Amino acid sequence: MKQALGIFISFSAIFTYLFIDTLYYFRPIEEKITNDITGVSTVTYNYPSMYWLICIILIITFILGMYLILAKKKQPEEGPLCSTSK
């Protein structure tokens, strides 16, 4: 059950990242700076801080999913044998 949950969490993190990446790919924040002396324009593209926060959360979620996939099952401990004879 843990492995199925881990697979679901890992794939959902990957697909959410791909969706968010394509969503912000076409609309990054553009900043244009023009130097008055030389007339050279510099354009920088920045992603909003929410994009980076979502990426960090998705990385943590992916790591949690990988942990659940790779976690070994605990073997039940064998207790002392109970004697019914008196």
Side-chain angles (χ1 to χ4, degrees), residues 1-2 7 12 22 24 33 42 45 52 54-56 58-59 66 74 76 83:
M1 185 68 184
K2 274 195 221 180
I7 291 170
S12 66
T22 57
Y24 282 110
I33 301 171
T42 304
Y45 296 99
W52 298 113
I54 292 170
C55 287
I56 290 170
L58 290 175
I59 289 170
M66 294 300 344
K74 290 184 179 179
S83 171

Side-chain angles (χ1 to χ4, degrees), residues 1-82:
M1 185 68 184
K2 274 195 221 180
Q3 290 178 343
L5 182 64
I7 291 170
F8 175 75
I9 288 174
S10 296
F11 279 121
S12 66
I14 290 170
F15 290 134
T16 305
Y17 170 75
L18 292 174
F19 176 74
I20 295 296
D21 191 42
T22 57
L23 184 69
Y24 282 110
Y25 178 74
F26 298 108
R27 292 183 290 160
I29 297 172
E30 181 180 319
E31 184 178 338
K32 186 174 183 179
I33 301 171
T34 304
N35 189 344
D36 293 334
I37 299 170
T38 61
V40 175
S41 295
T42 304
V43 179
T44 58
Y45 296 99
N46 296 321
Y47 289 101
S49 59
M50 192 63 158
Y51 173 80
W52 298 113
L53 180 66
I54 292 170
C55 287
I56 290 170
I57 291 170
L58 290 175
I59 289 170
I60 292 170
T61 307
F62 181 75
I63 292 172
L64 175 67
M66 294 300 344
Y67 171 75
L68 289 175
I69 291 172
L70 299 175
K72 293 182 180 177
K73 293 182 180 178
K74 290 184 179 179
Q75 296 294 330
E77 291 184 17
E78 293 185 21
L81 297 174
C82 295

